[in-house]
Amino acid sequence: MASLNDLVNLNLSDTTEKIIAEYIWVGGSGMDLRSKARTLPKPVTKPSELPKWNYDGSSTNQAPGDDSEVILYPQAIFKDPFRKGNNILVMCDTYTPAGEPIPTNKRAAAAKIFSHPDVEAEVPWYGIEQEYTLLTRSNWPLGWPAGGFPGPQGPYYCGIGADKAFGRDIVDSHYKACLYAGINISGINGEVMPGQWEFQVGPSVGISAGDEVWVARYILEGDWNGAGAHTNYSTKSMREDGGIDVIKAAIKKLEARHSEHIAAYGEGNERRLTGHHETANINKFTWGVANRGASVRIGRDTEKDGKGYFEDRRPASNMDPYVVTSMIAETTILLDL
C-alpha cells in the first residue's frame, strides 16, 4: 500500500495528460489569499488557454449571499512547486458575472495604468523587498524565548548560525520553490529581528511585479505585519544617460502626492514610519542619497553614474503590490505638475 508521502509525490505525467490548476485570488480583506483547484484535460502555457471559474464570494466577504457568484479571470501562470510535474499555479483577479471588477480587485485598475502607452514606453522596472516574520504555532516570533524577548538587534541582520538565523530551512525552501515556480526572486537575507526575514522579487516589469509578489506570498503564506516592503523603481529614461534628472523630477512628483501614497501603502503603517529605526516620519516626505531614514533613497551608484533607480521606503509589508507599483508609475510618469 502506498504511503501518504508516496501519494503526495505521485508523478501524474506518468499515467495521464491531465493536470491540476490551483486558482489563486486575493480575498475580501485585501490581504488574505484564497485558492481552489480544478482538473484540466492537458497542460497549458498561457492564461488565455484557461477557463474562467467562479466561487462563493459571500464566504470571502466579497459578495452578498443573495448574489454571491464571483468570476475568476486567469491572469498569470506559474509552475506548481508543491504538486510539480505539469501542474500549475494560476494568479487570478475577480469580477462580477457582468464583467465588472469587484471592489477588492486592485489588479484591474493597475493593468489600465500599465497599459497606458506612456507607461509602456518607459518599461517600468520594480524590485520589491518583502519583509516578513516567521511565527511559532503559539503565535510567537521564531527564535524568541517563550513569553520573553531576545537580545538586542545587531547580530541578526544577515546573521549566520543556529543562534542567529532562525528558520533558515523554511526560508531556503521558499527561495527554491519560488525559483521553481518561475518567480523572479532575486535574493533573501535575515533581517534585524530574530525570526524576521526578507525576500526580493525583481527586477520585474509592470503588472508582473504584482503577480509575482502575490504568488511568492502564496507559496510562503507568511505574516507581513510590522515590517516593510521597500520598492525599488526605475524607468527607461532613468536608466539612460542623464537619468538622475528624471529621477529627481519623479521624486518631486512623489512628494506632491505624499499623503495619497501613504493612504494606499498598507494598513498600520503609522506604527512603522515613526522617524526611528531607519524609517521616515509618516507625516513628512524626505529624500536623500544613501539615506535609509528618508522616504525615498537614491543609491550611491545611481548618484555616481548619473542614472539608475531609486527606492521608495514607505510601503508597508502588507501593501498590495498591484496598488503600490501602479501608483508609483502613475505619479512619476503620468502626473503633470
Side-chain angles (χ1 to χ4, degrees):
M1 181 177 291
S3 69
L4 178 60
N5 190 59
D6 290 333
L7 294 174
V8 166
N9 292 297
L10 195 63
N11 187 351
L12 296 178
S13 60
D14 290 342
T15 57
T16 180
E17 266 200 307
K18 293 180 179 180
I19 68 163
I20 301 170
E22 190 77 26
Y23 280 47
I24 304 166
W25 69 95
V26 180
S29 73
M31 291 185 286
D32 59 312
L33 284 164
R34 309 283 179 138
S35 75
K36 63 177 186 174
R38 68 181 297 164
T39 304
L40 300 177
K42 62 181 181 179
V44 298
T45 58
K46 297 181 292 186
S48 59
E49 298 174 331
L50 290 162
K52 295 174 184 175
W53 206 8
N54 64 77
Y55 66 93
D56 172 15
S58 68
S59 296
T60 62
N61 294 315
Q62 291 175 295
D66 59 355
D67 187 14
S68 64
E69 192 165 282
V70 178
I71 312 301
L72 291 166
Y73 285 33
Q75 299 292 359
I77 292 175
F78 300 87
K79 293 174 64 178
D80 188 335
F82 304 109
R83 296 187 176 108
K84 302 179 182 177
N86 292 320
N87 304 302
I88 55 175
L89 305 177
V90 184
M91 191 65 208
C92 305
D93 60 354
T94 46
Y95 296 80
T96 68
E100 294 295 322
I102 68 171
T104 53
N105 180 356
K106 306 303 181 183
R107 191 187 192 280
K112 288 182 179 179
I113 292 171
F114 284 120
S115 64
H116 190 288
D118 292 348
V119 176
E120 285 188 333
E122 283 292 348
V123 195
W125 288 3
Y126 296 91
I128 298 176
E129 304 172 16
Q130 177 70 73
E131 294 180 348
Y132 63 96
T133 301
L134 294 172
L135 302 177
T136 65
R137 292 184 183 275
S138 58
N139 211 37
W140 199 245
L142 190 66
W144 288 36
F149 297 90
Q153 68 181 46
Y156 310 109
Y157 173 71
C158 295
I160 62 170
D163 59 338
K164 302 179 190 70
F166 303 101
R168 183 176 288 278
D169 54 344
I170 299 170
V171 174
D172 278 352
S173 296
H174 174 251
Y175 192 0
K176 293 175 182 177
C178 286
L179 287 171
Y180 179 93
I183 294 167
N184 193 23
I185 186 169
S186 50
I188 59 168
N189 61 266
E191 270 300 332
V192 296
M193 186 182 81
Q196 185 185 41
W197 292 82
E198 174 184 296
F199 65 87
Q200 301 92 33
V201 170
S204 302
V205 179
I207 197 77
S208 64
D211 292 334
E212 292 182 13
V213 169
W214 273 120
V215 175
R217 287 174 171 180
Y218 170 83
I219 293 171
L220 176 65
E221 186 50 29
D223 185 335
W224 315 314
N225 293 325
H230 304 151
T231 302
N232 299 281
Y233 171 73
S234 71
T235 64
K236 184 173 181 287
S237 298
M238 294 175 191
R239 297 187 291 268
E240 294 175 343
D241 290 343
I244 191 69
D245 293 329
V246 182
I247 289 172
K248 289 178 179 178
I251 291 173
K252 186 176 180 181
K253 292 180 179 182
L254 290 173
E255 182 175 13
R257 294 191 70 201
H258 177 61
S259 59
E260 292 94 331
H261 279 255
I262 287 296
Y265 272 17
E267 294 183 13
N269 216 1
E270 71 281 354
R271 299 195 299 272
R272 184 179 71 91
L273 296 180
T274 61
H276 305 290
H277 307 296
E278 294 188 341
T279 66
N281 187 294
I282 194 170
N283 297 310
K284 183 180 179 181
F285 182 91
T286 58
W287 71 273
V289 176
N291 184 355
R292 284 181 163 78
S295 307
V296 170
R297 178 185 67 88
I298 294 176
R300 288 288 184 200
D301 285 344
T302 297
E303 180 190 42
K304 177 184 175 184
D305 296 340
K307 59 184 177 181
Y309 72 97
F310 66 82
E311 176 190 40
D312 191 338
R313 296 180 59 80
R314 296 171 296 172
S317 60
N318 59 16
M319 62 84 162
D320 188 322
Y322 294 135
V323 173
V324 169
T325 57
S326 62
M327 196 171 194
I328 292 173
E330 182 183 39
T331 297
T332 60
I333 299 172
L334 301 180
L335 178 66
D336 289 325
L337 289 182

